[in-house]
mmCIF file of all heavy atoms in Angstrom:
data_model
loop_
_atom_site.group_PDB
_atom_site.id
_atom_site.type_symbol
_atom_site.label_atom_id
_atom_site.label_comp_id
_atom_site.label_asym_id
_atom_site.label_seq_id
_atom_site.Cartn_x
_atom_site.Cartn_y
_atom_site.Cartn_z
ATOM 1 N N LEU R 1 22.373 37.819 70.654
ATOM 2 C CA LEU R 1 23.475 37.697 69.674
ATOM 3 C C LEU R 1 24.797 37.733 70.429
ATOM 4 O O LEU R 1 25.762 36.979 70.123
ATOM 5 C CB LEU R 1 23.368 38.753 68.621
ATOM 6 C CG LEU R 1 24.470 38.699 67.549
ATOM 7 C CD1 LEU R 1 24.468 37.368 66.878
ATOM 8 C CD2 LEU R 1 24.300 39.866 66.537
ATOM 9 N N ALA R 2 24.874 38.694 71.426
ATOM 10 C CA ALA R 2 26.161 38.780 72.147
ATOM 11 C C ALA R 2 26.463 37.442 72.925
ATOM 12 O O ALA R 2 27.648 37.110 73.051
ATOM 13 C CB ALA R 2 26.032 39.938 73.184
ATOM 14 N N PHE R 3 25.403 36.862 73.440
ATOM 15 C CA PHE R 3 25.610 35.597 74.204
ATOM 16 C C PHE R 3 26.255 34.534 73.210
ATOM 17 O O PHE R 3 27.184 33.838 73.625
ATOM 18 C CB PHE R 3 24.342 35.056 74.755
ATOM 19 C CG PHE R 3 24.431 33.811 75.533
ATOM 20 C CD1 PHE R 3 24.760 33.863 76.844
ATOM 21 C CD2 PHE R 3 24.203 32.578 74.875
ATOM 22 C CE1 PHE R 3 24.962 32.680 77.503
ATOM 23 C CE2 PHE R 3 24.311 31.369 75.598
ATOM 24 C CZ PHE R 3 24.696 31.398 76.918
ATOM 25 N N ILE R 4 25.797 34.427 72.036
ATOM 26 C CA ILE R 4 26.261 33.480 71.094
ATOM 27 C C ILE R 4 27.734 33.829 70.700
ATOM 28 O O ILE R 4 28.588 32.961 70.707
ATOM 29 C CB ILE R 4 25.380 33.456 69.791
ATOM 30 C CG1 ILE R 4 23.980 32.935 70.109
ATOM 31 C CG2 ILE R 4 26.004 32.572 68.773
ATOM 32 C CD1 ILE R 4 22.989 33.126 69.050
ATOM 33 N N ILE R 5 28.020 35.105 70.418
ATOM 34 C CA ILE R 5 29.379 35.525 70.158
ATOM 35 C C ILE R 5 30.342 35.184 71.268
ATOM 36 O O ILE R 5 31.409 34.671 71.110
ATOM 37 C CB ILE R 5 29.435 37.079 69.812
ATOM 38 C CG1 ILE R 5 28.637 37.330 68.578
ATOM 39 C CG2 ILE R 5 30.886 37.524 69.683
ATOM 40 C CD1 ILE R 5 28.491 38.840 68.287
ATOM 41 N N GLY R 6 29.890 35.549 72.549
ATOM 42 C CA GLY R 6 30.753 35.290 73.689
ATOM 43 C C GLY R 6 31.012 33.772 73.881
ATOM 44 O O GLY R 6 32.131 33.381 74.161
ATOM 45 N N ALA R 7 29.946 32.964 73.675
ATOM 46 C CA ALA R 7 30.081 31.576 73.903
ATOM 47 C C ALA R 7 31.096 30.974 72.887
ATOM 48 O O ALA R 7 31.963 30.141 73.203
ATOM 49 C CB ALA R 7 28.770 30.856 73.789
ATOM 50 N N VAL R 8 30.920 31.343 71.615
ATOM 51 C CA VAL R 8 31.822 30.790 70.518
ATOM 52 C C VAL R 8 33.220 31.224 70.791
ATOM 53 O O VAL R 8 34.238 30.460 70.698
ATOM 54 C CB VAL R 8 31.308 31.323 69.147
ATOM 55 C CG1 VAL R 8 32.387 30.956 68.082
ATOM 56 C CG2 VAL R 8 29.990 30.665 68.853
ATOM 57 N N ALA R 9 33.486 32.609 71.092
ATOM 58 C CA ALA R 9 34.789 33.122 71.372
ATOM 59 C C ALA R 9 35.451 32.347 72.546
ATOM 60 O O ALA R 9 36.642 32.009 72.527
ATOM 61 C CB ALA R 9 34.785 34.617 71.615
ATOM 62 N N PHE R 10 34.675 32.157 73.607
ATOM 63 C CA PHE R 10 35.151 31.486 74.807
ATOM 64 C C PHE R 10 35.617 30.014 74.449
ATOM 65 O O PHE R 10 36.706 29.618 74.817
ATOM 66 C CB PHE R 10 34.050 31.466 75.892
ATOM 67 C CG PHE R 10 34.545 30.847 77.198
ATOM 68 C CD1 PHE R 10 35.052 31.628 78.141
ATOM 69 C CD2 PHE R 10 34.382 29.425 77.358
ATOM 70 C CE1 PHE R 10 35.434 31.082 79.348
ATOM 71 C CE2 PHE R 10 34.853 28.911 78.527
ATOM 72 C CZ PHE R 10 35.353 29.700 79.521
ATOM 73 N N TRP R 11 34.799 29.313 73.701
ATOM 74 C CA TRP R 11 35.102 27.923 73.353
ATOM 75 C C TRP R 11 36.336 27.836 72.467
ATOM 76 O O TRP R 11 37.268 27.111 72.694
ATOM 77 C CB TRP R 11 33.862 27.257 72.683
ATOM 78 C CG TRP R 11 34.146 25.811 72.318
ATOM 79 C CD1 TRP R 11 34.138 24.763 73.093
ATOM 80 C CD2 TRP R 11 34.623 25.326 71.064
ATOM 81 N NE1 TRP R 11 34.476 23.624 72.459
ATOM 82 C CE2 TRP R 11 34.763 23.926 71.146
ATOM 83 C CE3 TRP R 11 34.861 25.987 69.796
ATOM 84 C CZ2 TRP R 11 35.199 23.177 70.106
ATOM 85 C CZ3 TRP R 11 35.239 25.184 68.703
ATOM 86 C CH2 TRP R 11 35.461 23.774 68.917
ATOM 87 N N VAL R 12 36.413 28.700 71.444
ATOM 88 C CA VAL R 12 37.525 28.666 70.515
ATOM 89 C C VAL R 12 38.851 28.984 71.145
ATOM 90 O O VAL R 12 39.861 28.302 70.965
ATOM 91 C CB VAL R 12 37.283 29.669 69.301
ATOM 92 C CG1 VAL R 12 38.563 29.795 68.509
ATOM 93 C CG2 VAL R 12 36.172 29.133 68.484
ATOM 94 N N PHE R 13 38.875 30.129 72.012
ATOM 95 C CA PHE R 13 40.161 30.562 72.536
ATOM 96 C C PHE R 13 40.603 29.713 73.742
ATOM 97 O O PHE R 13 41.806 29.525 73.929
ATOM 98 C CB PHE R 13 40.014 32.035 72.943
ATOM 99 C CG PHE R 13 41.298 32.608 73.406
ATOM 100 C CD1 PHE R 13 42.308 32.816 72.464
ATOM 101 C CD2 PHE R 13 41.580 32.857 74.731
ATOM 102 C CE1 PHE R 13 43.491 33.399 72.827
ATOM 103 C CE2 PHE R 13 42.877 33.388 75.097
ATOM 104 C CZ PHE R 13 43.771 33.673 74.137
ATOM 105 N N PHE R 14 39.669 29.246 74.537
ATOM 106 C CA PHE R 14 40.046 28.549 75.761
ATOM 107 C C PHE R 14 40.099 27.011 75.676
ATOM 108 O O PHE R 14 40.395 26.387 76.662
ATOM 109 C CB PHE R 14 39.143 29.002 76.921
ATOM 110 C CG PHE R 14 39.284 30.460 77.261
ATOM 111 C CD1 PHE R 14 38.343 31.334 76.900
ATOM 112 C CD2 PHE R 14 40.406 30.837 77.986
ATOM 113 C CE1 PHE R 14 38.498 32.673 77.166
ATOM 114 C CE2 PHE R 14 40.547 32.173 78.326
ATOM 115 C CZ PHE R 14 39.602 33.103 77.961
ATOM 116 N N ARG R 15 39.743 26.481 74.495
ATOM 117 C CA ARG R 15 39.686 24.979 74.490
ATOM 118 C C ARG R 15 41.080 24.346 74.780
ATOM 119 O O ARG R 15 41.178 23.278 75.267
ATOM 120 C CB ARG R 15 39.120 24.473 73.133
ATOM 121 C CG ARG R 15 40.013 24.867 71.980
ATOM 122 C CD ARG R 15 39.340 24.353 70.682
ATOM 123 N NE ARG R 15 40.097 24.620 69.520
ATOM 124 C CZ ARG R 15 39.741 24.230 68.259
ATOM 125 N NH1 ARG R 15 38.667 23.548 68.132
ATOM 126 N NH2 ARG R 15 40.467 24.594 67.263
ATOM 127 N N LYS R 16 42.169 25.075 74.399
ATOM 128 C CA LYS R 16 43.507 24.522 74.614
ATOM 129 C C LYS R 16 43.807 24.488 76.088
ATOM 130 O O LYS R 16 44.544 23.539 76.593
ATOM 131 C CB LYS R 16 44.548 25.371 73.919
ATOM 132 C CG LYS R 16 45.977 24.863 74.103
ATOM 133 C CD LYS R 16 46.943 25.674 73.259
ATOM 134 C CE LYS R 16 48.350 25.087 73.511
ATOM 135 N NZ LYS R 16 48.809 25.357 74.868
ATOM 136 N N ARG R 17 43.269 25.345 76.910
ATOM 137 C CA ARG R 17 43.521 25.361 78.366
ATOM 138 C C ARG R 17 43.086 24.139 78.961
ATOM 139 O O ARG R 17 43.627 23.622 79.931
ATOM 140 C CB ARG R 17 42.893 26.586 79.018
ATOM 141 C CG ARG R 17 43.687 27.859 78.792
ATOM 142 C CD ARG R 17 43.064 28.930 79.637
ATOM 143 N NE ARG R 17 43.291 28.754 81.030
ATOM 144 C CZ ARG R 17 42.717 29.569 82.011
ATOM 145 N NH1 ARG R 17 41.883 30.519 81.663
ATOM 146 N NH2 ARG R 17 42.963 29.330 83.277
ATOM 147 N N GLY R 18 41.888 23.544 78.485
ATOM 148 C CA GLY R 18 41.348 22.380 79.052
ATOM 149 C C GLY R 18 42.355 21.163 78.963
ATOM 150 O O GLY R 18 42.381 20.270 79.795
ATOM 151 N N ARG R 19 43.138 21.154 77.853
ATOM 152 C CA ARG R 19 44.079 20.048 77.659
ATOM 153 C C ARG R 19 45.289 20.196 78.612
ATOM 154 O O ARG R 19 46.010 19.241 78.820
ATOM 155 C CB ARG R 19 44.641 20.060 76.211
ATOM 156 C CG ARG R 19 43.534 19.975 75.200
ATOM 157 C CD ARG R 19 44.119 19.775 73.816
ATOM 158 N NE ARG R 19 43.110 19.904 72.760
ATOM 159 C CZ ARG R 19 43.124 20.895 71.869
ATOM 160 N NH1 ARG R 19 44.098 21.710 71.866
ATOM 161 N NH2 ARG R 19 42.221 20.939 70.939
ATOM 162 N N ASP R 20 45.555 21.414 79.139
ATOM 163 C CA ASP R 20 46.713 21.664 79.901
ATOM 164 C C ASP R 20 46.410 21.783 81.383
ATOM 165 O O ASP R 20 47.117 22.479 82.047
ATOM 166 C CB ASP R 20 47.463 22.882 79.402
ATOM 167 C CG ASP R 20 47.928 22.772 77.986
ATOM 168 O OD1 ASP R 20 48.233 21.633 77.522
ATOM 169 O OD2 ASP R 20 47.979 23.839 77.302
ATOM 170 N N SER R 21 45.300 21.194 81.872
ATOM 171 C CA SER R 21 44.917 21.351 83.235
ATOM 172 C C SER R 21 45.873 20.777 84.209
ATOM 173 O O SER R 21 45.789 21.049 85.433
ATOM 174 C CB SER R 21 43.513 20.820 83.446
ATOM 175 O OG SER R 21 43.475 19.435 83.165
ATOM 176 N N ASP R 22 46.774 19.854 83.778
ATOM 177 C CA ASP R 22 47.696 19.260 84.694
ATOM 178 C C ASP R 22 49.022 19.923 84.748
ATOM 179 O O ASP R 22 50.072 19.232 84.972
ATOM 180 C CB ASP R 22 47.882 17.778 84.366
ATOM 181 C CG ASP R 22 46.563 17.017 84.531
ATOM 182 O OD1 ASP R 22 45.750 17.307 85.445
ATOM 183 O OD2 ASP R 22 46.253 16.059 83.712
ATOM 184 N N ALA R 23 49.120 21.239 84.489
ATOM 185 C CA ALA R 23 50.330 21.949 84.386
ATOM 186 C C ALA R 23 51.090 21.812 85.794
ATOM 187 O O ALA R 23 50.460 21.848 86.818
ATOM 188 C CB ALA R 23 50.135 23.459 84.115
ATOM 189 N N ALA R 24 52.483 21.723 85.770
ATOM 190 C CA ALA R 24 53.293 21.566 86.925
ATOM 191 C C ALA R 24 53.310 22.865 87.714
ATOM 192 O O ALA R 24 53.227 23.890 87.193
ATOM 193 C CB ALA R 24 54.616 21.078 86.581
ATOM 194 N N THR R 25 53.549 22.773 89.040
ATOM 195 C CA THR R 25 53.727 23.872 89.883
ATOM 196 C C THR R 25 55.144 24.029 90.250
ATOM 197 O O THR R 25 55.796 23.100 90.746
ATOM 198 C CB THR R 25 52.915 23.663 91.230
ATOM 199 O OG1 THR R 25 51.559 23.470 90.826
ATOM 200 C CG2 THR R 25 53.001 24.828 92.122
ATOM 201 N N ASP R 26 55.678 25.216 90.007
ATOM 202 C CA ASP R 26 57.079 25.472 90.318
ATOM 203 C C ASP R 26 57.299 25.650 91.830
ATOM 204 O O ASP R 26 56.505 26.328 92.469
ATOM 205 C CB ASP R 26 57.521 26.793 89.624
ATOM 206 C CG ASP R 26 58.935 27.100 89.832
ATOM 207 O OD1 ASP R 26 59.289 27.764 90.802
ATOM 208 O OD2 ASP R 26 59.763 26.701 88.975
#
């Protein structure tokens, strides 16, 4: 059950990061 909870939480919270993978470097 913990694996399922962790996987869902990971996908929900971090999916936006995937869209921003080309962030600029200062």
